Amino acid sequence: MKYIGKEIVGLPTRQLVAGKGQYVSDVILDGMLHMAIVRSPYAHARIKSIDTKPAEAVPGVVYVITGKEVIENMRPIMEAYDTAAMDAKSVKCYALCPERVRYVGEAVAAVVAEDKYTARLAADLVEVDYEELPVVFDAEEAMKPGAPLVEPDWDSNVMVTRDFIRGDLDKAFAEADGTFSGTINTQRYTGAAIEPRGYVATYDPYQDMLTMWASTQNPHPMRVFLAETLGIPETSIRVIQPHVGGGFGLKIPTFQEEPLIAYLARKLARPIKWIEERQENLLVGGHARQNRLHYDVAYKKDGSVIGFRAKVIADVGAPAALCGWGQSFVTSYCIPTCYKIPNCRVQLFTVVTNKCPWNAYRGYGKEAASFLMDRVMDGVAKATGVDRAEVRLKNFIQPEEFPYSQVSGAMIDSGNYPKALNRVLEMVGYKDFPKLQADARKQGRCIGLGIGQELTPEGCSMPKSTLLSGYDGCTVRVNPSGQVTVLTGVTSPGSGNETGIAQIVADTLGVDVKLIRVIQGDTDTCPYGLGNYSSRSIIMGGAAAQVAGTDIREKMFKVAAKMLEVAPADIDSEDGKIYVKGAPSRYVLFKDVASTVYRDCYGKFASDVEPGLEATRYFRHPNVYHQPEVDGRFSSYPSWPNGVSACVVEVDPETGIVKLLRYCAVHDAGVLINPLLAQANLHGGIIQGLGGAMFENLVYDEAGQLKTASFLDYTIPTAVDCPSLEVEHQETRSPFNPLGCKGVGESGVTAPLGAICSAVENALGHLKLNFDEMPLTPDRVWQEIRHAQQQA
Amino acid sequence: MISEEFEFRAPTKLAEALSLLERYGDDAKILAGGMSLVPMMTLGLVRPKTVISFNHITDLNFVIDAKDVIRIGAMTRHDTVAHHDLIKKHLPLLATAAVGIGDVQVRHRGTIGGSLAHADPAADYPPVMLVAGAQFRIQSAKGDRMVKAAEFFTGLMQTAVGAGEVLSEIHVPKLPAGAGSAYLRLHRVEGSFPIVNAAAVIEKGFKSARVAIGGVGESAVMIDVTKHLSKGVSDQSLRAISDAAYDASGDAYGDLNGDTEYRRAMARVYAQRVIKAAAAQIR
C-alpha cells in the first residue's frame, strides 16, 4: 500500500496521550542544581550596582552570577537573524545585561542553588540599584525626532526600513473612481505553549562535553549559537531536544537563558535545570504581532484595485538576538498577498520600543499582511457596493498567472484562489445567507458572515543565516534485518512531521510504515539540519528523506535486479516486496535484499554495490533566489500555501459578546502527506487565530509593566470555546517541490482575523461599523456599537 | 513559584482547627480548596507564615435539608453544590452559579466556603447568597455566630470573618413555593471569572423580588425591586429595574475586561435579563 495521503495517527500520539512523553522537566540528573533569574523591574534603567551577598548567604545557594562575569567570559549572544545581511541595526545582547536593561523582565543576574525554591528565594534577595532612564512604548512616538532612544548608540529607534514600489501610484490615484485611507492596529499577542521554556545543561570536564536538553525547535542551530557565544567548539556541545510541549516559533533560540545555563554548567561542572514559570513566559518568552498599518486604496467602480499604498510600522520591542523582528520584514514582503495590484508601494518601518522583544510566532508577520488586505477588500466592497466575494475574485492573481512576482520581488509559486473561495462560500451557504440573516433579525438576533483570506509563504530561506538557510538533511538507514532508521535534521514540536516523514520513506522504499523509526532532535546522532520553523519540516525535511530514501532504493533495486535476473528499470517495490513490474509474483523480500547487502558483500548479487545501506542527503528548494545579480530577483520563500475561511457569528448588541456559530475553511497546501495531521494543524492554527481576533492581548501600562502576566488576565480560547471547525483541503501541487507539498504548520492562524472582523461588521450592518483594531472583546464591540448608535 | 517556607497544618477536627486559628491569628491563612490562595501565594501576593488546611475536616463537607433552610458545609466542593439534588430542587440558582465556576478541576477542588470567604467582587456565589437571604455561620475557639449575607461582605475581598474565626457553614433558605429564580454571568471564555453576574429571586404573585449584581463594586450589590414588579414584568418595569441597577453600580471598577461605563451598562442589561429569566421560572 501507499502511505502518502493516508490518515495515520501520529507515531508519538499514544505515548503523549498516556502522559508518558519525556519533556525537559522529566530530565532529572544526579546532583542537579536549579537556576533562577533576577529580572529587571524597570522598562529602561542603568544598572548602578548589584549586591549579591544577601543571596549568597542563603543556605543552599551555590553560585550567583551577574552581567559583569558574563561580559568578561562570554561573547554577545549570536544573532538568530543576521541583521547585517538585512541592513538592519544591531545591538550586543548578553546572557545577562551588564550595564543597562531595556524592558521589564530582561535578565540581570542569576542564582544557582541546590533546589529551585532556594534559587528563587535567593534571586529575590539580590539587590540591584537602578537609575531609571527615559522610555518609549509606542512605535510612532518612538519614530518622532527627540524621542527617547531604546539604544543610545543608534541615531533613531528605526531598526530597518524597506520601500517596495511598482507602477505609477500618482497616476493610479488620479485615474481612480474612488480612494480611501485607513489605519489598522494589530495588538501584541503571543503563543501560549502548555510547556514553557526549559533547559537542563550538564558538563563533563574529562570529555570537555556540554550536554544540553532544551525545549527548542532547533537543536543544531542552537549548538552553533552556544558555541559562538561561549567561544567553545561545536564538537564540545550536544543539544538534545526531548518532547516539546508546544513551539509555535517561540522556542526558536536565542534567548538569554540558553548561553547562561550552558556557561554555568561548564563553570560549576554540575548539572543545572531551569524551567520557566508561566509569568516569566508571558513576560519575556517572546512577544509578536504589534503593528500599525496605514493604507491608501485607489479603486474602480467595478471593485478592482488599481493603486495601493501601505505603511507598515512594526513595534518589535527591544532589539535582541532573537529572530522575531524579521516578522516585520515578512509583513512588508507579503503585501498585497494574493491580489494583483498594478500600482503598489509598501513601506516598512521596524521600530524598537521598551517592551519585550518579539520572537517568531506562528504566522511570522504574514498574518498582518493578509489581515490588512482583508480589511482593504471589505473596504472596497463597502465603497463600491460590489459584493465582498466579488471584489476578491476580481482582484485575485489568477491560477494561470503563476509563478507571480509580487511588488517585493516575492515569487508566489502557485495557487488557485478563486476555486478555494468559491468552495468555502458553498460550504458556508453564502448565497442563501442574506435570507437566514433577515430571518434571524426578525427574531431580534444579529448574525453575520465574514470572509478571511490567508497567504502564508513557507520554507523561509535567508542569505548568510545559521538558522534560516532553507535546506535540510536526512539519513535513511536500512538495517540488516530490514527495519529502517530515519534520522532527520528537522524536528517536531508536537506537530507530527515525524509521522509524515515515516510515510514518505515507507513509500519510497515500499515497506510497511511500522518498520520505520524516526529519530529527531539530537545533534550527536542526527544529520545537521535547521529544525522546525516556517512549516519547513515536510517541504524541506520530507523532501530530503525522499532523496535519501531514493538513493537506498536504487541501490537495493540494483541488488534485487540481479537476484531477479532483470534490469533495475524493470522492478518496483511495495509492501516489503521488490518485484518485477508486470509480474508481481516474481519478487524478493525487501529484508532479504537488505540482508544480502550486509551479509554477502563479496557474493554475486551485492559485490558491485558499496557495502552498507545508509544515505545522508540534503535538499534545497529549487525556487529560492538569493543572487539577484544572477537570477534577476530576490525571493526567500519557495512555497505559498493559502486558504480562505468563512465564518458565521452572532453578536449580542447589548453586551458586545461575539459568539462564533460556524467556521468553514478551505486550505491549499498542495499534496498532503497526512491529511489527519494537516487537519490537526489547521484546527490548532484556527483556534490561535480566533484568540488573536477575539481574546488575546498583551497589555502594558504607562510604566512599561505587563498587566497580563498570568492566564487570569491573558485570555486564551480553548476547545470548549470553539464550535466544531469545518475544514476542507484543496490540492494545487507545488511545481517546485518534489513531493508537491507546500507546508501546513502556520496555516489557519491568519484567516480568522479578517473573517471575524468582517462577520461582526456584517452582523451589525445597520450600524456601518468598521473594526480596525483587535481583539474584538465584548467591551470594545459594545463601545463601537454605542458610538455608532450615538452618531446615528 | 512559592519559594518561601511556611508551616503547614492539616487538622482533622474543626475544634482542633479553631484552636490553631486562635494560636496563629493573622499569621495563618486557611486553605479550603486552594483555588485562590495557592495562585496568590504563587504570585507572591500572599506570604502566610502558616497555612491551615481544612481539607481533612470531613465534618464540614455536607449538604443537609434542615426544614426551611439548606445547610451547606463550608468545605463542600463546587461540583457537589452544582449537582446535589437538594440544591437543584430548592436552590436551582445556586446550582447554576456553581456549574459556571472555573473548570472541571477547579470545581472539584474549590469549596463554597473558600470562595465566599475570599470575597472576590465578581465571584459567582455572592449575588446568589444576597438574593436568597443566606446566613453564614462563623465560628472561633471562643464563639459561634450567624451573620446575614448582607452583612457578611464588607468590602473588596473583605468579610465579617475576623481573626481567629472561620466560615463553617452556610444556611440558605429554600426558595418559597412557586418562586422563580435565575443566575446569569457575563464572561469571556470557559473558566474566566465573570465580568458581571446577576442573581434574582421573585416570589409567586410578585410578592417580593430581589436582584443582586456582582462585578460592579467592591462587593455584590442587592436591589429590592418588589415595587417595580408589583404589576408584573413589563417594558416599563424592566426599564425601572435597569435604572436601579445602574444607580446601584456607581462604585463599579474598571479593568482589562471593561471600564466603569461598560460594567454599569452591563449591570442594566443583566438586571433585566435575570429578572426576565427568573419571572419565567415562577410556577
Side-chain angles (χ1 to χ4, degrees):
Chain A
M1 68 176 282
K2 290 286 182 191
Y3 292 98
I4 291 178
K6 291 274 181 323
E7 298 201 332
I8 293 176
V9 173
L11 299 176
T13 300
R14 285 174 61 86
Q15 182 189 7
L16 298 179
V17 171
K20 299 294 180 186
Q22 292 292 309
Y23 297 87
V24 172
S25 191
D26 297 309
V27 176
I28 295 164
L29 304 175
D30 262 355
M32 190 166 76
L33 302 171
H34 296 262
M35 180 171 84
I37 307 290
V38 180
R39 300 189 181 280
S40 167
Y42 297 111
H44 195 190
R46 189 178 317 286
I47 301 168
K48 288 163 73 181
S49 65
I50 301 181
D51 184 1
T52 58
K53 281 187 213 79
E56 283 157 350
V58 176
V61 168
V62 175
Y63 199 70
V64 183
I65 182 170
T66 67
K68 184 172 179 292
E69 179 173 342
V70 165
I71 51 165
E72 285 165 3
N73 292 279
M74 293 163 76
R75 299 172 185 168
I77 304 171
M78 190 182 172
E79 292 178 341
Y81 201 130
D82 195 88
T83 48
M86 295 293 291
D87 298 323
K89 290 173 192 159
S90 66
V91 286
K92 284 182 175 146
C93 289
Y94 289 88
L96 293 170
C97 301
E99 290 167 357
R100 203 166 52 86
V101 292
R102 304 147 319 133
Y103 59 96
V104 171
E106 194 163 22
V108 296
V111 173
V112 179
E114 296 289 346
D115 66 80
K116 63 181 179 183
Y117 306 103
T118 304
R120 181 71 261 157
L121 185 82
D124 292 342
L125 297 175
V126 172
E127 285 172 12
V128 187
D129 189 10
Y130 295 98
E131 176 196 338
E132 285 189 73
L133 297 169
V135 288
V136 62
F137 301 121
D138 179 85
E140 280 184 292
E141 289 296 319
M143 289 170 74
K144 287 180 182 163
L149 290 175
V150 177
E151 292 301 330
D153 297 343
W154 293 10
D155 59 356
S156 80
N157 289 311
V158 178
M159 180 178 179
V160 63
T161 60
R162 284 291 185 276
D163 195 354
F164 303 118
I165 305 175
R166 166 190 288 173
D168 186 337
L169 271 299
D170 290 341
K171 189 159 169 273
F173 276 79
E175 289 174 356
D177 291 335
T179 65
F180 64 91
S181 302
T183 298
I184 286 169
N185 288 296
T186 58
Q187 83 278 25
R188 181 170 275 251
Y189 64 105
T190 190
I194 294 174
E195 180 202 28
R197 293 179 296 144
Y199 314 101
V200 172
T202 188
Y203 180 63
D204 177 348
Y206 299 100
Q207 296 197 68
D208 185 27
M209 193 67 188
L210 172 79
T211 303
M212 180 118 151
W213 286 264
S215 185
T216 185
Q217 297 172 223
N218 318 83
H220 275 107
M222 179 182 271
R223 188 175 67 161
V224 177
F225 297 138
L226 290 174
E228 289 287 332
T229 307
L230 270 65
I232 60 175
E234 280 178 58
T235 47
S236 290
I237 305 172
R238 178 183 185 187
V239 177
I240 300 171
Q241 180 221 69
H243 284 129
V244 170
F248 312 121
L250 295 153
K251 299 263 175 79
I252 293 174
T254 43
F255 286 100
Q256 284 182 295
E257 293 85 354
E258 293 160 6
L260 178 63
I261 197 168
Y263 169 82
L264 287 166
R266 280 173 55 89
K267 164 124 191 163
L268 303 174
R270 281 183 70 179
I272 307 175
K273 179 184 260 185
W274 180 71
I275 303 291
E276 185 178 47
E277 292 190 61
R278 180 61 61 187
Q279 287 161 275
E280 289 180 296
N281 184 255
L282 284 163
L283 191 65
V284 298
H287 289 178
R289 298 290 197 263
Q290 191 163 26
N291 290 292
R292 195 162 295 147
L293 307 154
H294 300 292
Y295 63 90
D296 308 298
V297 188
Y299 60 87
K300 287 283 189 190
K301 272 189 299 213
D302 68 353
S304 50
V305 178
I306 56 166
F308 183 62
R309 291 193 205 99
K311 196 165 160 188
V312 178
I313 297 167
D315 175 353
V316 300
L322 297 166
C323 68
W325 64 271
Q327 285 165 125
S328 60
F329 168 70
V330 176
T331 300
S332 67
Y333 181 80
C334 289
I335 297 170
T337 65
C338 48
Y339 303 102
K340 192 172 59 175
I341 301 178
N343 307 289
C344 196
R345 179 176 186 187
V346 183
Q347 286 174 281
L348 167 69
F349 298 89
T350 303
V351 183
V352 297
T353 57
N354 292 108
K355 288 185 281 196
C356 173
W358 280 12
N359 199 15
Y361 172 40
R362 198 179 201 173
Y364 204 70
K366 303 152 201 172
E367 75 296 327
S370 283
F371 177 58
L372 168 67
M373 296 317 294
D374 266 332
R375 298 284 65 207
V376 168
M377 292 299 147
D378 276 14
V380 171
K382 285 176 192 168
T384 57
V386 179
D387 175 81
R388 286 175 287 175
E390 277 306 311
V391 170
R392 287 169 170 83
L393 289 166
K394 195 160 293 264
N395 289 290
F396 277 150
I397 303 162
Q398 295 302 309
E400 65 281 4
E401 292 174 314
F402 296 103
Y404 182 86
S405 175
Q406 268 302 11
V407 55
S408 64
M411 287 296 293
I412 306 181
D413 65 335
S414 62
N416 192 335
Y417 310 138
K419 189 177 160 197
L421 176 55
N422 285 321
R423 175 62 198 140
V424 87
L425 296 178
E426 228 172 83
M427 285 168 74
V428 78
Y430 190 69
K431 249 191 227 143
D432 300 329
F433 188 76
K435 186 182 175 313
L436 209 66
Q437 189 173 36
D439 290 350
R441 187 59 63 83
K442 278 180 207 150
Q443 301 163 19
R445 296 170 58 213
C446 297
I447 64 169
L449 187 153
I451 304 169
Q453 291 284 149
E454 65 179 41
L455 180 63
T456 50
E458 304 297 9
C460 181
S461 312
M462 299 302 293
K464 298 174 186 163
S465 180
T466 298
L467 177 72
L468 305 169
S469 268
Y471 62 86
D472 225 284
C474 184
T475 299
V476 173
R477 179 190 299 150
V478 176
N479 297 290
S481 310
Q483 297 93 18
V484 186
T485 305
V486 178
L487 300 118
T488 75
V490 295
T491 59
S492 174
S495 52
N497 63 61
E498 73 294 311
T499 308
I501 289 169
Q503 289 173 256
I504 291 163
V505 174
D507 277 4
T508 308
L509 297 177
V511 298
D512 191 332
V513 75
K514 289 197 191 76
L515 295 179
I516 295 172
R517 179 176 292 272
V518 180
I519 296 171
Q520 302 183 303
D522 184 341
T523 56
D524 264 13
T525 55
C526 294
Y528 191 89
L530 307 183
N532 171 266
Y533 57 85
S534 200
S535 306
R536 64 192 306 280
S537 299
I538 292 294
I539 55 178
M540 300 289 185
Q546 193 191 41
V547 176
T550 302
D551 274 10
I552 298 299
R553 169 193 162 100
E554 282 173 2
K555 190 168 174 182
M556 290 180 75
F557 275 20
K558 244 187 193 176
V559 177
K562 279 200 169 178
M563 294 165 82
L564 292 164
E565 296 177 329
V566 291
D570 294 333
I571 60 176
D572 207 343
S573 65
E574 200 171 336
D575 295 337
K577 291 172 183 169
I578 302 178
Y579 62 91
V580 179
K581 280 182 198 165
S585 60
R586 287 183 60 202
Y587 67 86
V588 286
L589 290 175
F590 179 86
K591 66 179 174 116
D592 290 343
V593 177
S595 176
T596 302
V597 173
Y598 276 102
R599 297 181 172 115
D600 208 6
C601 76
Y602 296 99
K604 65 176 175 178
F605 300 131
S607 59
D608 62 350
V609 299
E610 189 181 295
L613 284 174
E614 177 163 332
T616 298
R617 292 293 302 272
Y618 280 78
F619 174 80
R620 85 182 129 210
H621 229 283
N623 57 325
V624 170
Y625 306 100
H626 280 182
Q627 303 175 61
E629 65 284 5
V630 177
D631 305 319
R633 62 171 73 107
F634 174 88
S635 187
S636 52
Y637 282 97
S639 181
W640 295 73
N642 54 85
V644 56
S645 294
C647 68
V648 179
V649 302
E650 177 167 355
V651 183
D652 179 343
E654 286 189 332
T655 60
I657 287 266
V658 176
K659 190 176 172 203
L660 184 59
L661 301 178
R662 280 187 76 196
Y663 194 95
C664 303
V666 173
H667 186 258
D668 192 340
V671 174
L672 296 184
I673 303 300
N674 186 327
L676 182 68
L677 294 173
Q679 188 85 348
N681 270 293
L682 259 297
H683 279 223
I686 289 167
I687 294 176
Q688 277 185 321
L690 293 170
M694 300 203 284
F695 300 104
E696 300 180 38
N697 197 3
L698 290 162
V699 183
Y700 280 90
D701 69 12
E702 56 285 352
Q705 300 290 339
L706 184 66
K707 292 165 79 174
T708 51
S710 84
F711 283 147
L712 188 66
D713 298 311
Y714 188 74
T715 307
I716 56 167
T718 64
V720 289
D721 302 298
C722 298
S724 180
L725 307 172
E726 302 162 53
V727 181
E728 285 188 11
H729 296 276
Q730 170 178 303
E731 181 181 306
T732 307
R733 283 184 73 94
S734 159
F736 301 101
N737 185 281
L739 295 160
C741 300
K742 290 185 180 174
V744 74
E746 297 187 283
S747 303
V749 79
T750 296
L753 310 177
I756 292 286
C757 287
S758 180
V760 174
E761 289 174 3
N762 182 245
L764 303 166
H766 55 293
L767 294 174
K768 304 205 182 318
L769 298 183
N770 201 8
F771 283 99
D772 48 19
E773 198 170 329
M774 294 186 303
L776 302 190
T777 54
D779 57 325
R780 267 210 58 236
V781 173
W782 176 83
Q783 272 159 6
E784 295 285 338
I785 292 168
R786 194 176 64 152
H787 184 68
Q789 283 168 341
Q790 284 167 349
Q791 300 273 305
Chain B
M1 185 192 297
I2 302 169
S3 59
E4 283 171 346
E5 285 197 16
F6 56 87
E7 189 181 349
F8 183 78
R9 305 296 296 258
T12 56
K13 294 286 170 219
L14 180 59
E16 187 190 349
L18 294 176
S19 71
L20 288 171
L21 278 175
E22 187 178 33
R23 189 188 327 157
Y24 292 108
D26 283 344
D27 287 345
K29 271 277 170 195
I30 297 171
L31 177 92
M35 296 296 92
S36 297
L37 180 65
V38 174
M40 286 174 83
M41 288 174 70
T42 304
L43 294 171
L45 300 173
V46 180
R47 297 165 187 267
K49 288 193 181 125
T50 304
V51 170
I52 302 173
S53 169
F54 272 52
N55 278 286
H56 298 269
I57 306 176
T58 48
D59 287 353
L60 288 181
N61 182 3
F62 59 82
V63 178
I64 296 170
D65 189 337
K67 277 204 207 155
D68 297 336
V69 302
I70 302 292
R71 285 176 52 202
I72 305 170
M75 287 301 291
T76 307
R77 313 282 163 182
H78 304 312
D79 187 68
T80 306
V81 176
H83 297 111
H84 201 284
D85 287 340
L86 281 174
I87 294 174
K88 282 199 289 192
K89 185 175 170 199
H90 297 293
L91 296 162
L93 76 169
L94 178 56
T96 306
V99 165
I101 297 173
D103 50 33
V104 168
Q105 290 92 331
V106 167
R107 288 194 291 275
H108 279 81
R109 275 254 165 222
T111 62
I112 186 168
S115 175
L116 285 166
H118 183 60
D120 188 285
D124 287 275
Y125 290 128
V128 174
M129 295 299 152
L130 288 170
V131 294
Q135 299 223 51
F136 296 76
R137 184 174 180 189
I138 297 172
Q139 288 182 260
S140 67
K142 292 195 181 100
D144 189 345
R145 60 192 179 113
M146 296 297 287
V147 172
K148 287 181 189 156
E151 285 144 26
F152 181 80
F153 304 105
T154 55
L156 184 67
M157 299 177 117
Q158 283 179 347
T159 68
V161 180
E165 289 188 317
V166 66
L167 169 64
S168 60
E169 55 185 276
I170 301 106
H171 295 192
V172 195
K174 292 175 183 172
L175 295 186
S181 73
Y183 172 80
L184 297 172
R185 79 203 298 267
L186 170 68
H187 61 273
R188 292 184 64 191
V189 294
E190 184 84 5
S192 304
F193 254 88
I195 301 170
V196 166
N197 59 351
V201 173
I202 307 173
E203 271 193 87
K204 198 171 181 170
F206 298 97
K207 278 189 286 181
S208 76
R210 296 184 294 277
V211 60
I213 303 159
V216 293
E218 293 195 333
S219 56
V221 293
M222 183 161 75
I223 315 158
D224 190 321
V225 293
T226 313
K227 64 177 180 202
H228 301 305
L229 288 172
S230 54
K231 290 178 191 152
V233 178
S234 64
D235 284 353
Q236 197 189 345
S237 64
L238 288 173
R239 233 185 341 266
I241 289 168
S242 158
D243 288 344
Y246 185 80
D247 292 342
S249 56
D251 292 336
Y253 52 91
D255 66 10
L256 294 171
N257 289 320
D259 61 12
T260 306
E261 264 316 290
Y262 180 65
R263 285 174 188 278
R264 294 191 75 183
M266 292 309 103
R268 277 185 183 282
V269 173
Y270 273 73
Q272 285 201 25
R273 288 185 182 185
V274 81
I275 286 290
K276 272 200 258 184
Q281 297 298 316
I282 297 173
R283 288 183 307 273

